[in-house]
Amino acid sequence: MESHSEVVARLRSVFRTGVTIPLQFRLTQLSALLSLMEDNEAQIADALHKDLGKPKFEAVLSEIDMVRNDICYAINNLKTWMTPEYVGTNLATKFDDCFIRREPFGVVLIIGAWNYPLQLILLPLVGAIAAGNCAVLKPSEISQATEQLLADLIPKYLSKECYVVMCGGAEETKKLLQNKFDHIFYTGSQSVARGILRAAADHLTPVTLELGGKSPCLIYGGVDIKTAAKRLVWAKYFNCGQSCVAPDYLLCDAETRDALLPAIREALEGFYGPDPQRCQDVGRIVTDQHWSHVMELLGRSKGRVVIGGESTREDKYIAPTVVVDIDETDALLQEEIFGPVLPIMALETVEEAIDFVNARESPLALYVFSDVPQLVTKVLENTRSGGFCSNDGIVHMTLPTLPFGGVGASGMGCYHGRWSFDTFSHKRGCMFRGWALERIGALRYPPYSETNLSWLRWATTTKKSSCSVM
Amino acid sequence: MEKQAAECARKAYLSGRSRPLQFRLQQLHALYRLITEKEAEISAALKKDINRSQYDTPLFELIGLENDLKLAQSSLSDWAAPRPAKKNLLTLSDQVYTQAEPLGVVLIIGAWNYPWALTLQPLIGAIAAGNAAVVKPSELSKHSSSLLKELLPQYLDQEMYPVVTGGVPETQELLQQRFDHIFYTGNSTVGKLVMEAAARHLTPVTLELGGKSPCYIDKDCDMSVACRRITWGKFANCGQTCIAPDYILCEPGIQDRVVQEIQRTLLEFYGEDPKCSLDYGRIINQHHFDRVMALLEGNAAAIEGKNDREECYIAPTILRDVSPHSRLMQEEIFGPVLPIVPIGGVDEAIRFINDREKPLALYVFSQDKKVIKRMLSETSSGGVTVNDVFMHYTVNSLPFGGVGNSGIGSYHGKHTFDRLSHHKTCLVKSLAMEGMNQVRYPPQNAVHLKRAKFFLTTRLCSCHRFACVWAILATMLALGLLIALLVVLLKVKDFCIFDTVMVDT
């Protein structure tokens, strides 16, 4: 069995042959990945159900179809993305060709996460393949069924020489990181990300980090409570609250909170019926450990459970839960919850809510529900987050034309659609100079003179465009 | 002191005053005035630091800065405007865009070889993007560094852009503080330390490093022009340029000619004794003088001169038939020493380059398009100039940066603005059109799923060329028919009016 270093060395020598570079190769691999998704939809949904109790609807919408969409988007646009981008020149370089080539880095490492175990490893892979790289995939060992399925299927559909799946836990990942990669793409937690950055620093490897944090949701100004509640409930309890962009906690004034609670109850009942534990559309917490963690946070909270609160350890089930009457020191407001528990803190004004959010680390997503456009704009312009969505949740990450990524503690870099291609490409600035006009070029040579310098300054300085005819 | 500077910049940033475009434009304009009003002082400082010729200063440092400043000032409102993104069926009535926002407080660590360009060019982007910045010029170029510390607060908002001077301990202290981006120019050893320090706070970095930039001279090229351009690039700033052609690769058959041409050019540029030429620089200090001289051991020079440690003067030195295993070929030279490594042809040159770390720049001199194409597509480097040196650096619409060991990220012009911004994804929706949303809510069933897929699925574009041509033809035909119809209608109308007129008369 090959060691990590042997695998990486092998991939590097394959990359050097240039086999991943031609457009046709990339399109073939992307089409093969598409076939993998289409031929195995049932098995994939099954594995996701085993890992997370994920309902088929969620599996299709948020995992399978998201990957399929991105593959199609890449196939449709790859030729354009690969075309050199010609750029403007100055007077001294008017007759030269200046363009940007997007070139693969080489061998990239993609480390997936367990909450969307398919999407979070295959979406980056689409970008890596499209950009012409070889890749090592390291799916999360926590979502075991999906990990195993990927290890089985990827070599069956994709080029075994260029793309390798490596399984294992923290120790294995550490060993893997001792090798030099040309880009590392990691989705997961901040604490592990620090270790990855340090390992990457040893080899000067560029890194994309898709992390998390507490994504706040603000509700202020007039709002259609029923619709807001539905969208909020959908976004919060999707995948049992285990989404990096789930609204983590809610800020609103007391009156809104009081109006919201019955609307949330109604939405929950409409979605999951009177007994969510028996509803097929409700997921489960991924492991006992994660279940215990969420329950422990709930236990330490000084708030009052007003909706839900039921749980079953054996089933890793936690009911959709809402907690109120908390203050900023509450356990539920200190770390990312990553579960179906929604704390609501009452702050009377949107200004207080903005200050509260700004006093904390930049989240991956920030949500505002309001019928007042000026209020939405105020929050948008005065807070910082990876992404922003008003009057809905999560959906901003479903468009392949929008970059998805964090800022500050929630991550660095972004992907989806063309952004994935760019993330895995080196933008190489190229200039082709002619041999002619050496007389002009000679102005730059020693022995230097004031006259020559004046001419050169004139030829190379950007001028303010005063003549619109030219 | 370093902690204070970081805190001062953070406080200034949190005041929000760096965000309005008006403030940024004012600061950019002030920086422009600094470098134009104080050109003489800057030249004098550079002369003391590195014996920089007064003409090299504008050419290599100031013109680039002036261009970037003018570009930033004229384009800032475009750069900072929302950038719309394509919508899907579900978001047709929504606002979908990205918005560039400042990162916060940027740490800029400059280098000594072009102390003004390499410190201020990142600052231009930092200001344009609305950030605060702590500026740490290199202590090795101490006259430039003190001058910058004196001048920057006179022109710019001194709380927003504090300057910190000092050496290694001061830099290490700075790196303990939390920044929102660290922009470092220097060598890869320190680059790794910067990235490691940044890891603690999950701070993104831009590293502009170096390496050995190869220069391939094909036998099919205008040798005399090629060698003039290479000589200019190699010996400017006494070889202390991160994108200087570090070494030459060429076939043994043309080696003699290359040496001859370079020798002729050196005479033309610097005269018999370059030490006396006003246009020839010096090594930054005796430590680097010793470093470069040590690389020469074991190699006989084809062209050399009398070096002077006291004056940090190293004569232009060319060595031929250099072995790939010699010391000269193990690390970046960063001095006026040019080794020529003979290789069998373009295949061997490509292998040679690919066996080594990715360089910051690659230079290819050839009139054969096939050779150029191969060099470009079969190697990797930060940037490339074909048939010249340096020039890709001078076009600010090209991103300038390294890859692999030569760096992470890129800048110049708009690329700096983008690098030092966070591009926030924004989806601004209303609570209307809730009907469409019903398809995603539980209870879930096959019908809902089908409907949801209809709205969300990207379809493969299987447009054959024939189909596209047919579509275009059909459109033209339809337009033609429409125009014909309009003409007929107008004519009928005229006829009716004419008729009426006739009847009236």
Side-chain angles (χ1 to χ4, degrees), chain A residues 180 204 426, chain B residues 186 188 207-213 242 357-361 380-383 401-409:
Chain A
K180 176 172 176 157
L204 290 171
H426 165 55
Chain B
S188 32
L207 303 176
E208 294 278 328
L209 310 176
K212 294 182 77 60
S213 297
C242 42
E357 295 293 352
K358 295 174 187 177
L360 186 54
S380 178
S381 63
V403 65
N405 257 39
S406 53
I408 295 177

Side-chain angles (χ1 to χ4, degrees), chain A residues 7 29 38 42 44-45 77-78 120 133 175 182 227 257 289 295 297-298 314 363 369 411 416 432 434 437 441 443 462:
Chain A
V7 170
Q29 295 301 310
E38 286 168 351
I44 293 171
N77 293 286
L78 188 52
L120 295 177
N133 299 281
K175 277 194 215 137
D182 302 302
T227 307
R257 176 201 59 203
Q289 209 184 350
M295 291 310 296
L297 281 179
L298 191 55
E314 297 74 41
F369 284 82
H416 285 188
F432 280 23
L437 302 178
L443 290 173
T462 310

Side-chain angles (χ1 to χ4, degrees), chain A residues 240-283:
Chain A
C240 214
Q242 298 163 114
S243 308
C244 39
V245 286
D248 186 278
Y249 65 96
L250 188 54
L251 299 174
C252 60
D253 60 40
E255 197 186 324
T256 306
R257 176 201 59 203
D258 294 338
L260 202 52
L261 290 176
I264 292 178
R265 270 192 206 96
E266 193 185 328
L268 281 170
E269 183 138 353
F271 287 1
Y272 306 127
D275 186 2
Q277 190 166 14
R278 300 245 292 269
C279 175
Q280 279 186 349
D281 299 333
V282 173

Side-chain angles (χ1 to χ4, degrees), chain A residues 16 34 55 57-58 60-61 65 68-69 72-73 75-76 87-90 93 98-101 103 105 180 182 190 193-194 197-198 200-207 209 211 223-224 227-228 230-231 234 270-272 281 361 369 371 376 380-381 383-393 395-396 399 401-403 405-409 412 426-436 438 442 444-450 453 456-457 460-462, chain B residues 19 39 53 55-56 58-59 63 66-67 70 85-88 91 96-98 101 103 178 180 188 191-192 195-196 199-200 202-204 207 209 221-222 225-226 228-229 232 268-270 279 351 354-355 357-358 362 365-367 372 376-377 379-388 391-392 395 397-399 402-405 408 422 424-432 434 437-444 448-449 452-453 456-461:
Chain A
R16 266 186 78 162
L34 190 61
F57 192 93
E58 287 188 12
V60 170
L61 215 60
D65 273 11
R68 281 169 64 173
N69 278 352
C72 290
Y73 192 79
I75 291 175
N76 289 344
V87 299
T89 54
N90 58 26
T93 47
C98 292
F99 55 94
I100 303 172
R101 267 174 65 99
E103 302 180 343
F105 283 118
K180 176 172 176 157
D182 302 302
Q190 286 163 19
R194 284 189 187 89
L197 256 186
R198 272 195 297 271
D202 263 341
H203 300 289
L204 290 171
T205 300
V207 175
L209 301 175
L211 310 177
V223 78
D224 171 354
T227 307
K230 270 181 136 167
R231 295 183 184 186
W234 177 80
F271 287 1
Y272 306 127
D281 299 333
E361 294 291 355
F369 284 82
D371 272 342
V376 170
L380 175 58
E381 289 178 356
T383 57
R384 206 164 86 121
S385 59
F388 175 92
C389 180
S390 67
N391 292 318
D392 212 329
V395 289
H396 64 289
L399 273 156
T401 51
L402 283 175
V407 66
M412 56 179 81
H426 165 55
K427 284 164 44 177
R428 193 181 193 188
C430 302
M431 180 191 282
F432 280 23
R433 289 275 279 170
W435 292 101
E438 180 58 2
R444 61 184 159 161
Y445 298 149
Y448 298 133
S449 79
E450 194 64 53
L453 182 61
L456 266 176
R457 254 195 144 121
T460 53
T461 301
T462 310
Chain B
R19 300 195 64 156
E39 185 176 329
S53 133
Y55 300 107
D56 265 348
L59 201 61
I63 292 178
E66 287 166 20
N67 281 345
K70 284 188 195 154
K86 221 163 139 195
K87 308 180 192 187
N88 63 12
T91 48
V96 176
Y97 59 96
T98 58
E101 297 186 339
L103 291 172
R178 182 176 180 177
D180 301 297
S188 32
K192 288 181 187 175
M195 198 169 163
E196 214 181 284
R200 225 160 40 97
L202 290 173
T203 301
L207 303 176
L209 310 176
C221 79
D222 185 334
V225 172
R228 284 181 95 205
R229 294 177 179 184
W232 169 73
E268 185 193 319
F269 286 1
Y270 306 116
D279 303 330
R351 257 198 315 276
N354 288 340
D355 281 342
E357 295 293 352
K358 295 174 187 177
L362 172 71
F365 286 84
S366 179
Q367 274 162 334
I372 296 171
L376 199 57
S377 53
T379 64
S380 178
S381 63
V384 181
T385 296
V386 172
N387 295 329
D388 209 330
M391 299 307 286
H392 65 285
V395 177
S397 45
L398 285 176
V403 65
N405 257 39
I408 295 177
H422 167 58
K424 182 155 94 176
T425 277
C426 301
L427 175 56
V428 178
K429 294 179 67 121
S430 75
L431 283 166
E434 183 59 1
N437 268 341
Q438 301 304 321
V439 289
R440 65 175 167 174
Y441 297 146
Q444 296 148 352
H448 274 190
L449 186 57
K453 278 160 97 81
L456 293 172
T457 303
T458 304
R459 283 153 191 81
L460 265 180
C461 173

Side-chain angles (χ1 to χ4, degrees), chain A residues 11 38 161 163 166 193 206 229 255-256 363 405 415 434 438 443 463:
Chain A
L11 285 173
E38 286 168 351
E161 284 76 40
Y163 315 106
M166 300 192 100
E255 197 186 324
T256 306
Y415 70 128
E438 180 58 2
L443 290 173
K463 284 144 194 57

